Amino acid sequence: MTTPSGPRPGARKRIVDTAFRLFYARGPRGVGVDTIIDEAGVAKASFYKHFPRKDDLVLAYLDEVDRTWLGQLRACARAAGDHPAEQLVGMFDALHSAARREGYHGCAFINSAAEASPGSEVHARSVDHKRLVRAWVTDLARRAGAADPEGLARQLTVLLDGGLSAGVLDADPEVAASARSAAAVLVAAACPPARASTP
């Protein structure tokens, strides 16, 4: 069954889903367009209609990672409680889930940025993602009553990125628990006790 707009959305989704799987496992540079076309089961003309350049597909992949990872962070933050201070610590549960996933290769944005030239669209998209996450964490820190919300957000996002990397380099999914414990110490020190406790 096709949608009213025809088979294009199906083809595009197959291409992006295939790219998501292959780019995350091997890195964008490690996967050729022909491999994606073959594994997605689309015609070459259809591929280039949706993605005239390989970088267009890499950007679509990063957009998908952005939606997925931010969704996981926000869901774990909400699950930790209603207070922003609890949510600042709870978001680290997303790191715990990610590091335990089969085929875990760390942060897709860090990996893609490492392959891209500074100033390129792919590098810029990776930087934008990190800024977006930090802005969200800064807002939580501000609502938690942190004296220096920007400083706390920077500490927590550096800890989050470090946890994403260490989960791969150390091959130890328990590194996420260490990152969460460190986050709890940082949040407790930065937020007033009355504001950091559960209402």
Side-chain angles (χ1 to χ4, degrees), residues 77 80-88 140 143-145 191-192 194-199:
D82 294 329
H83 198 282
E86 295 171 320
Q87 294 177 358
L88 286 167
L140 279 180
R143 290 191 285 119
C191 299
R195 297 290 300 276
S197 60
T198 304

Side-chain angles (χ1 to χ4, degrees), residues 126-150:
S126 300
V127 171
D128 286 345
H129 166 78
K130 296 300 181 182
R131 285 180 183 151
L132 181 61
V133 171
R134 193 164 61 244
W136 172 67
V137 176
T138 299
D139 180 62
L140 279 180
R142 186 174 292 112
R143 290 191 285 119
D148 180 8
E150 291 83 4

Side-chain angles (χ1 to χ4, degrees), residues 97-173:
S97 298
R100 288 182 169 276
R101 196 170 299 124
E102 186 177 347
Y104 175 68
H105 294 285
C107 177
F109 287 95
I110 294 172
N111 297 342
S112 296
E115 290 187 357
S117 301
S120 67
E121 290 176 279
V122 170
H123 192 274
R125 186 67 55 90
S126 300
V127 171
D128 286 345
H129 166 78
K130 296 300 181 182
R131 285 180 183 151
L132 181 61
V133 171
R134 193 164 61 244
W136 172 67
V137 176
T138 299
D139 180 62
L140 279 180
R142 186 174 292 112
R143 290 191 285 119
D148 180 8
E150 291 83 4
L152 177 60
R154 186 169 293 279
Q155 290 173 333
L156 293 175
T157 53
V158 165
L159 186 58
L160 191 61
D161 284 340
L164 287 165
S165 298
V168 177
L169 298 175
D170 297 345
D172 181 5

